[in-house]
Amino acid sequence: MKPVKVGLLGLGTVGGGTVTVLARNAVEISRRAGRGIEISHAAARAYDPDRIQGLDRIGRIGDDAFAIVNDPDVQIVVELIGGYSPARELVLQAIANGKHVVTANKALIATHGNEIFAAARDRGVMVGFEAAVAGGIPIIKALREGLAANHIEWIAGIINGTGNFILTEMRDKQRDFADVLAEAQALGYAEADPTFDIEGIDAAHKLTILSSLAFGVPLRFEHCFTEGIAKVGALDVAYAAELGYRIKHLGITRRSAGGIELRVHPTLIPERRLIANVDGVMNAVLVKGDAVGPTLYYGAGAGALPTASAVVADLVDVVRTLTTDPSNRVPHLAFQPDELADIPSLPMEAVQTAYYLRLSALDQPGVMARIASILADQGISIEAIKQKEPAEGETHVPLVMLTHRVIERQMNTAIAQIEALDSVQGEVTRIRMETLSG
Ligand code: HSE
């Protein structure tokens, strides 16, 4: 059978990795797919030929991305340029032209996925996006197929390698935030705009996709609560460790009574959990299903070859099902499109979680009692308290508390009241805490 012809948009880190993997493993890939997969046409503004193996196997390389989506010979378009525009226009044009699409673009799927999947459904084509979440980890395949028997209860993931690398280096080597970020950028892990990594936007894109796959709801990126890691201090990392916890930047989505939680924020988790020991740029996703229990998926969440691994796996999937009736293919969002449910998202202030609190309090009798009484008035139960020795000549002492679970709205009220006390200096640092127990 003739090889399938692929049009490739982008020859950057992931595009170059995809060319390399397709060339390096061509024989095995064709044995799996049932036919060869060849890149007949690629478009890139600039690329580094020394970093890419198999460039000579590409039929034609130009710089016009629209020439690819309009090329009648191309059957599958692989979009690896990233960003919202012109990626959206290119993908929609490819679909309108009856081409299947494979993309690693999490921002595009999280924000325009509903529109893209509807267009793909109308044209009977596939859109593969395994590489959009957690790089090389086949988490989309796991959720869509491997866990299809389950009622998914929650997912918690370390889904941004740059953020995890920064938190790990801060903990292990007491390195400076900016210095570690610069290294992640040099290694090619960070987003073009690194605030996407630091502020949790990249993780929110990925979490949005995981949540829809888990719960069968439309993609709702705008409902995701996002808090970055810039305010996590070395002091908090150290105090958390003393209490037996690690701080990780987690994406959490949970089906709770009032709706679906969708939140990205720094989180204290018990250090004995496997996921607490996922360090550096590695990613991990913990999924709790009612039948299977907790399952953990670990691997490289970024980088040329790991992400290409997911892109090429999608290509193989598309090639295997080219002649399948579209209604018999695995649905884009795991649930049949007309079975997506309109379950509401739970606003952050209605989410229930435990907390780590750190504040600076005047070292005199009655202060602790006042703070405890504010917490008690809001129904907040304290699980642990640590008061540190005051520094020489200091009137205030650091006070660290762990609380039991409480609705965020009540914690907000308590924090505002504590900050208003004359005996408390500055702001209260609050980091949410999860046990992630099965
Ligand atoms: N900037 C992302 C990360 C790249 O650091 O995980 C992979 O999506």
Side-chain angles (χ1 to χ4, degrees):
M1 213 185 278
K2 277 194 187 158
V4 174
K5 291 193 188 319
V6 171
L8 178 60
L9 306 177
L11 282 170
T13 304
V14 182
T18 300
V19 175
T20 301
V21 171
L22 280 173
R24 188 200 280 180
N25 299 338
V27 174
E28 276 183 85
I29 289 167
S30 120
R31 283 172 61 210
R32 289 193 174 106
R35 353 177 6 185
I37 298 176
E38 70 176 36
I39 301 173
S40 59
H41 194 171
R45 289 222 187 97
Y47 55 94
D48 177 359
D50 298 335
R51 259 186 338 101
I52 306 174
Q53 274 176 45
L55 264 184
D56 53 326
R57 300 164 71 114
I58 299 180
R60 179 153 61 106
I61 303 180
D63 60 4
D64 181 1
F66 280 95
I68 294 196
V69 300
N70 292 321
D71 180 341
D73 283 344
V74 166
Q75 294 163 274
I76 309 172
V77 169
V78 177
E79 184 277 304
L80 301 175
I81 51 179
Y84 303 104
S85 184
R88 173 178 164 271
E89 293 76 12
L90 286 162
V91 164
L92 288 173
Q93 183 66 42
I95 292 170
N97 289 338
K99 300 180 196 309
H100 304 282
V101 172
V102 170
T103 178
N105 192 333
K106 54 254 164 155
L108 179 73
I109 296 297
T111 56
H112 298 297
N114 298 322
E115 176 191 20
I116 289 169
F117 298 147
R121 191 183 174 201
D122 286 348
R123 290 293 278 134
V125 296
M126 287 170 270
V127 178
F129 53 98
E130 181 66 69
V133 182
I137 305 175
I139 185 62
I140 292 183
K141 188 112 184 143
L143 279 170
R144 251 188 339 207
E145 299 176 49
L147 299 175
N150 286 266
H151 172 85
I152 305 291
E153 294 171 10
W154 52 263
I155 296 178
I158 296 173
I159 43 181
N160 181 268
T162 303
N164 201 40
F165 180 57
I166 291 173
L167 289 177
T168 304
E169 292 287 301
M170 281 172 69
R171 188 194 71 221
D172 289 351
K173 302 181 189 154
Q174 289 78 49
R175 283 179 66 189
D176 184 56
F177 187 94
D179 171 39
V180 190
L181 173 60
E183 188 179 338
Q185 286 174 295
L187 291 169
Y189 297 127
E191 295 301 298
D193 176 353
T195 58
F196 273 42
D197 298 298
I198 307 311
E199 297 302 332
I201 299 160
D202 176 72
H205 286 144
K206 295 165 181 169
L207 185 72
T208 298
I209 298 171
L210 293 179
S211 183
S212 290
L213 291 166
F215 305 126
V217 293
L219 295 148
R220 296 188 291 214
F221 170 69
E222 65 284 4
H223 293 192
C224 190
F225 171 84
T226 308
E227 186 179 294
I229 55 170
K231 283 195 194 148
V232 175
L235 210 56
D236 300 309
V237 173
Y239 289 162
E242 282 178 31
L243 291 158
Y245 291 85
R246 297 259 166 98
I247 301 177
K248 293 290 180 190
H249 201 196
L250 289 191
I252 299 171
T253 184
R254 187 192 309 267
R255 197 194 302 247
S256 53
I260 292 173
E261 298 175 22
L262 196 58
R263 49 191 171 107
V264 173
H265 50 71
T267 315
L268 262 76
I269 51 177
E271 66 188 3
R272 61 184 181 281
R273 297 268 174 267
L274 273 179
I275 194 169
N277 296 283
V278 170
D279 287 334
V281 293
M282 300 308 274
N283 279 199
V285 185
L286 184 55
V287 183
K288 172 71 168 45
D290 69 328
V292 71
T295 54
L296 181 65
Y297 307 83
Y298 167 86
L305 298 187
T307 312
S309 163
V311 169
V312 174
D314 268 350
L315 277 172
V316 170
D317 258 2
V318 171
V319 172
R320 281 171 173 161
T321 51
L322 275 174
T323 54
T324 308
D325 183 317
S327 62
N328 292 334
R329 292 182 185 137
V330 178
H332 291 114
L333 288 177
F335 290 70
Q336 297 298 334
D338 47 6
E339 292 293 339
L340 292 183
D342 195 19
I343 308 170
S345 302
L346 197 68
M348 193 60 204
E349 57 170 22
V351 165
Q352 195 180 44
T353 181
Y355 291 84
Y356 158 100
L357 303 177
R358 175 172 58 81
L359 51 107
S360 176
L362 195 61
D363 190 17
Q364 78 181 27
V367 173
M368 186 59 225
R370 229 164 298 144
I371 294 169
S373 124
I374 290 174
L375 291 171
D377 287 350
Q378 292 303 320
I380 302 170
S381 166
I382 298 170
E383 186 191 294
I385 296 188
K386 241 180 191 291
Q387 180 177 323
K388 314 300 279 185
E389 287 293 307
E392 186 74 27
E394 274 290 337
T395 50
H396 287 73
V397 284
L399 203 62
V400 174
M401 275 179 274
L402 303 184
T403 77
H404 287 287
R405 290 166 70 79
V406 57
I407 306 279
E408 175 121 346
R409 191 183 300 111
Q410 284 160 258
M411 180 53 85
N412 292 343
T413 306
I415 287 177
Q417 290 176 2
I418 292 171
E419 285 177 346
L421 292 175
D422 289 340
S423 48
V424 169
Q425 208 174 36
E427 287 184 2
V428 174
T429 297
R430 153 245 301 265
I431 305 178
R432 297 170 188 87
M433 195 167 88
E434 294 285 341
T435 58
L436 303 184
S437 54

